[in-house]
Amino acid sequence: MATRAAFVTVCVVLVRGGMVIDENGARRADVLVAGELVAEVGSDLTASDPEVVDASGAYVIPGAIDVHTHLGLPVGAVTSADDFESGTIAAACGGTTCIVDFAGAGREPWEEALATWHGRADGHAVVDYGFHLTVTDVPEEAAAARRRFEAFAARGVTSVKLYLAYPDRLMVDDETLGRALAAARATGVQVCVHAEDGATIEQLTADALAAGRVGPEAIPDVRPATVEAAAIRRAAELARAADASLYVVHLSSAEGLEAVRAARAAGAEVHAESCPHYLFLDASRLTDGSDDAQDFVCQPPLRGATDREALWGAVASGELEVVSTDHCPFTRADRRHGTDPAAGRWHDFTRIPGGLPGLETRVGLLYQGVRNGQIGLERWVDAIAGAPARRFGLDHRKGSLRPGLDADLVVFDPAATRTLTASSLHSRSDHSPYAELEVTGWPVLTLARGRVVARDGEPVDPQPGRGDYVPRTPRRARRPQSAAGD
Ligand SMILES: [Zn+2]
């Protein structure tokens, strides 16, 4: 067959002899990459003059997708430490080749939020990205709400998030959430919620501060699991009434999980994710009185051992279908400074910027669950790649090694060891919540659309702007009401 001149420059990579794991299960196979796409998966593949990657003894998995990040997010006086360049470099080093970041920082108009986030990401990202939109207002008239959802979905923004907490900055009332669910139902948009009951938190916070409890050790008491469960119940009931799908971000507690289960049993379509920090860390980091307690502040807060165990079980079963990161790191100086521009030092826990780094460590950390027998090998891959792609309209491009999809691919060495100190990682965060952890199993090669972007956990010729905006598709036809909780 004559080769057209244009084809000569197409880079061909043959990933040979690995254990391929994706939606089609785990099997020994070669993967042939041609240009930016997966060309073929099968036994004993050949190609003329390919670049050969020996993957024997390793897993070959789809590039991971992180559907919960906050890059360059302003929170009062401070901004999350990673921008789209450093954040996506960290992602690539840890085996993540696509992120979906939350556009919007407060009550700004939808259009403005999306434009701001495109400005932050376009020309800066090293791997591909999409946007959810954080919304605080939904048009009161149903047709107008639908038109707005449609207009954003047409631009690839097929999910929105609403907050049931933070009354001053972000919280919406039930009417707004109900209107969002109705418009989402009509347009194939996925509604996500930050499920913590803001009014109760305000009350508990006021009580704690009045009692002179100003340090981070008070946080678990003012944001207890009951407020997570209560918010889930409320949102799920609204979703059920609207016959709409609900996705609970960063589920943190056993009680919250029980609320998800109860809502599904009552006929609501509720999906949920958790994050590595809820699976690996616990609230003793906030309450042990040490100076670095402020470094473990996130919302919802870290919980207890029983919660961790319940969450691992739900990740294993697929009840928690996605594990994302809620990557939102701050430097120690910014944590100490706090969110109040005037103060220069936080004076109570409400001013400590909340959020942890996670983009680089999720793939390797979750694999520890495989090593420890907590989750299966295929579930590990599905939770970090397949499920997020399907849930958020990326599966036409990503989340699997199916021929024709983007050649986002990770060679993962189950024997590679790694210490998760900040200095060994690439986030601009100057501290790592997992610094004491030594893990076995780490990505040793990351391809993003066919190009090597990381090797042995280090970036390879990172090119800002090489990552593209990926428009996401709306949800497909809904499953029948009877099959709750897919
Ligand atoms: Zn978040």
Side-chain angles (χ1 to χ4, degrees), residues 68 70 102 161 163 250 326:
H68 192 153
H70 300 283
F102 284 93
K161 180 168 71 167
Y163 282 80
H250 54 44
D326 199 5

Side-chain angles (χ1 to χ4, degrees), residues 314-329:
V315 172
S317 68
E319 287 174 286
L320 282 171
E321 63 193 55
V322 171
V323 174
S324 67
T325 65
D326 199 5
H327 180 87
C328 191

Side-chain angles (χ1 to χ4, degrees), residues 10 32 52 104 106-107 114 128 146 163 180 185 197 199 213 272 277 289 293 316 372 409 430:
V10 168
L32 186 65
V52 174
R107 301 194 185 274
L114 189 58
D128 291 349
R146 265 201 311 275
Y163 282 80
R185 167 76 173 89
D197 187 75
R213 303 182 63 204
H277 43 275
N372 298 334
L409 175 155
D430 50 8

